[in-house]
Amino acid sequence: MKAGRAQGREGAEPAPGPAEVLASARNNFSGGWVEDTLVIKAVRGTRDLLPPESAVWNFVEGEVRDLFRAYNFQEIRTPIFEETQLFARSVGEETDIVGKEMYTWEDRTRREGELAQSLTLRPENTAGVVRAYIEHKLWERGLNKLYYIGPQFRRERPQKGRYRQFYQIGAEVIGPASAGSESAARDAEILELLSSLLDRLGIKAWNLELNSIGCPADRARYNDALREALAPLAAKLCADCQRRAIRNPLRVFDCKVPQDQPWIEQLPRISQYLDEPCRKHFEQVQELLSALGVPFALNDRLVRGLDYYTRTAFEFTHGALGAQNAILGGGRYDGLSELLGGPKAPGIGFAIGEDRLVLALNRPAAGAEGKPDVYLAPLGAGTDREAARLARELRSQGIVAELGDESFRLKKSFEIATKLGARYILIVGENEVQSGAFALKNLESGEQVTVPRSELPPRLRPIS
Ligand code: HAM
């Protein structure tokens, strides 16, 4: 698969049929055979989030949702695949994301005469949100404050903190200029929200790097200056930069090749090319941040790796993350709606790499979550039914109950209950069922009591 531009191609090579696709999958899979058993593993760059770590992710997402509520953001969920053109046009064809990293395929047609569509797994979510803004005429709602949590896909070289399926927590503030979407107050609100979020999660030692990359007119003048400065250097730079120098010189700043860095360091800076309104807007953002006590550092080399940005651009980095130290990034995209065929709708947003956020959190995945309040141990033939009824009763009252099996001996039930970390074990034997009073043992203290059925819920309810 490559980042295709084809969309609705007529007369193109027919896409392979299901049988061909399956045959190729049989021959090209990276798993193996262990003692006659076929072993299929997660695809490189993807991973399973298992308990108890999944509880940390749920904790983060819970905190984030509460915080978004406090800032009056609402959730949006867009599809995880979109037309390839959406990303090519918004993120930009010269960017690494579109040029090298997208999972793109030509969708098989289902009927004769139907045109094949080029589709792409979303590498980011801003483009999808702006598409939805236009498609659903969201400007009618005034200023939209939207957030999302979900997977994104980029075919990057996997390493710690960099995955091919990764998760973003993002937000976009977008609307007509008359609703205040262009104001520096929106930028400051977003940045203050982010600093509050990191503080709330206990993530310390973050740095906010801030820049303004101006409006399209500034960019045109800056690109001319870059082209001029790059012309004599081009032969010394990597092949990608030689191409970027001609087609989209700003993207030279995305270069990671160590030998190119001293040359890139000498290039003119965007800060020298901002016009008066952009300069003023940037000053207002900085003033507001200072008034709010949000620390930041100016970095006029920060241009971000996506083409849609205008004016404010920012990244939060974190020391403990190693090479992939950008915990989140974002900025303004005042022209994106128009670029996608919509009305003028200035906007600003960010996306946090949730995988990196969890890494920076360094939170032990322990805690009460995942442990049952009680383990019900059916004892003797025919007690499964009564135990299931009792478990249903307790669960309906908010008690976390794990259910054993009548085929287990009592010793085994105790072992399982202890391993699960249950607070209590409840014996459901024939005598107990008949008398309506159950043996309940506290697995921490060892204390055992007989409790009538009706008194079980208040006894078992977790102490909050
Ligand atoms: P981005 O800088 O491409 O911006 O990605 C945002 C964040 O996603 C990064 O700072 C990083 O934490 C995380 N991230 C990116 N790629 C990976 C990866 N392969 N593995 C793990 N984490 C990754 C955007 O995506 C923009 N849509 C942000 C935005 C929203 N701008 C305006 N609104």
Side-chain angles (χ1 to χ4, degrees):
M1 291 196 291
K2 67 180 176 48
R5 299 188 53 197
Q7 200 185 101
R9 290 193 302 142
E10 241 171 326
E13 287 257 308
E20 289 163 90
V21 170
L22 286 178
S24 152
R26 247 191 315 272
N27 296 331
N28 298 318
F29 94 104
S30 58
W33 294 86
V34 175
E35 292 173 4
D36 289 345
T37 308
L38 181 64
V39 178
I40 298 177
K41 294 198 169 156
V43 174
R44 196 167 125 79
T46 71
R47 56 202 184 122
D48 304 305
L49 291 174
L50 306 174
E53 201 200 344
S54 50
V56 181
W57 285 65
N58 282 333
F59 161 76
V60 166
E61 291 172 15
E63 291 288 310
V64 163
R65 283 180 196 278
D66 285 352
L67 192 85
F68 278 133
R69 179 73 208 105
Y71 286 76
N72 200 29
F73 277 75
Q74 290 173 308
E75 186 174 9
I76 181 168
R77 298 187 191 199
T78 62
I80 62 162
F81 59 89
E82 301 263 3
E83 294 249 22
T84 303
Q85 276 301 300
L86 176 68
F87 304 114
R89 283 174 70 175
S90 53
V91 176
E93 296 194 8
E94 275 306 313
T95 59
D96 283 351
I97 295 177
V98 172
K100 300 179 188 169
E101 296 168 1
M102 294 205 304
Y103 287 96
T104 296
W105 73 99
E106 197 158 291
D107 211 38
R108 266 204 306 274
T109 55
R110 293 181 70 89
R111 279 189 303 270
E112 196 148 340
E114 202 178 50
L115 299 179
Q117 248 184 330
S118 178
L119 303 179
T120 291
L121 287 182
R122 63 183 186 196
E124 62 97 56
N125 217 160
T126 309
V129 171
V130 176
R131 182 214 28 81
Y133 175 86
I134 299 166
E135 191 167 332
H136 304 288
K137 300 187 174 56
L138 295 185
W139 54 86
E140 287 170 357
R141 300 159 33 133
L143 191 68
N144 290 264
K145 296 171 80 174
L146 305 167
Y147 79 90
Y148 47 83
I149 300 175
Q152 318 292 332
F153 305 85
R154 297 183 193 174
R155 196 199 284 105
E156 293 193 79
R157 198 167 46 77
Q159 63 179 89
K160 183 180 168 212
R162 189 163 70 193
Y163 310 99
R164 291 181 166 180
Q165 173 171 335
F166 59 99
Y167 293 79
Q168 284 187 341
I169 298 171
E172 313 294 346
V173 178
I174 180 169
S178 60
S181 57
E182 216 165 359
S183 161
R186 302 288 83 72
D187 307 41
E189 186 182 18
I190 284 277
L191 291 164
E192 186 273 325
L193 176 156
L194 285 165
S195 78
S196 294
L197 175 65
L198 296 180
D199 289 346
R200 183 173 172 151
L201 289 173
I203 294 179
K204 300 192 178 73
W206 49 263
N207 296 304
L208 162 55
E209 295 185 19
L210 195 61
N211 193 18
S212 173
I213 52 176
C215 52
D218 303 337
R219 190 83 54 80
R221 281 185 286 119
Y222 182 50
N223 274 335
D224 286 346
L226 283 179
R227 275 199 190 91
E228 204 171 305
L230 284 164
L233 296 179
K236 301 187 177 81
L237 300 175
C238 70
D240 276 348
C241 281
Q242 294 188 18
R243 198 192 61 245
R244 291 165 177 149
I246 297 162
R247 292 165 64 159
N248 189 347
L250 197 71
R251 297 274 64 93
V252 167
F253 289 101
D254 301 339
C255 177
K256 305 277 181 323
V257 177
Q259 294 86 325
D260 287 6
Q261 299 311 309
W263 304 113
I264 294 170
E265 194 56 42
Q266 292 171 18
L267 294 172
R269 304 298 173 99
I270 182 79
S271 53
Q272 299 148 8
Y273 294 83
L274 299 184
D275 65 12
E276 202 39 39
C278 288
R279 205 183 298 278
K280 208 149 184 201
H281 190 272
F282 193 36
E283 272 168 21
Q284 284 169 348
V285 176
Q286 295 175 55
E287 270 165 29
L288 285 165
L289 288 180
S290 301
L292 289 164
V294 177
F296 60 89
L298 297 180
N299 174 1
D300 62 2
R301 274 196 62 177
L302 179 78
V303 298
R304 308 269 301 125
L306 302 92
D307 274 354
Y308 51 61
Y309 288 116
T310 55
R311 293 192 168 176
T312 312
F314 57 86
E315 272 178 13
F316 281 65
T317 55
H318 191 272
L321 288 175
Q324 302 307 315
N325 68 351
I327 200 161
L328 68 93
R332 280 206 157 268
Y333 43 85
D334 291 347
L336 182 53
S337 169
E338 286 146 295
L339 191 72
L340 294 175
K344 181 173 162 60
I348 180 165
F350 65 82
I352 305 172
E354 191 176 356
D355 309 73
R356 296 182 192 178
L357 188 68
V358 170
L359 274 173
L361 200 59
N362 198 17
R363 189 185 157 92
E369 203 171 337
K371 296 185 179 173
D373 297 317
V374 61
Y375 182 90
L376 284 86
L379 192 63
T383 52
D384 265 351
R385 196 185 51 202
E386 271 312 313
R389 277 163 48 129
L390 191 51
R392 179 177 161 100
E393 232 170 87
L394 297 172
R395 287 166 176 161
S396 73
Q397 306 216 33
I399 289 154
V400 183
E402 182 58 272
L403 191 51
D405 195 288
E406 65 181 37
S407 68
F408 297 168
R409 278 201 287 212
L410 198 55
K411 184 164 176 274
K412 179 168 175 178
S413 293
F414 266 89
E415 279 166 9
I416 299 174
T418 308
K419 196 167 172 196
L420 288 172
R423 284 194 299 129
Y424 290 97
I425 186 164
L426 184 73
I427 315 297
V428 188
E430 230 171 90
N431 292 344
E432 279 84 357
V433 174
Q434 261 166 22
S435 66
F438 296 83
L440 180 71
K441 183 163 186 166
N442 184 320
L443 287 169
E444 274 164 34
S445 66
E447 183 201 14
Q448 184 165 328
V449 283
T450 303
V451 183
R453 191 177 190 118
S454 60
E455 284 174 28
L456 282 171
R459 258 198 186 258
L460 294 174
R461 199 154 285 132
I463 321 125
S464 53

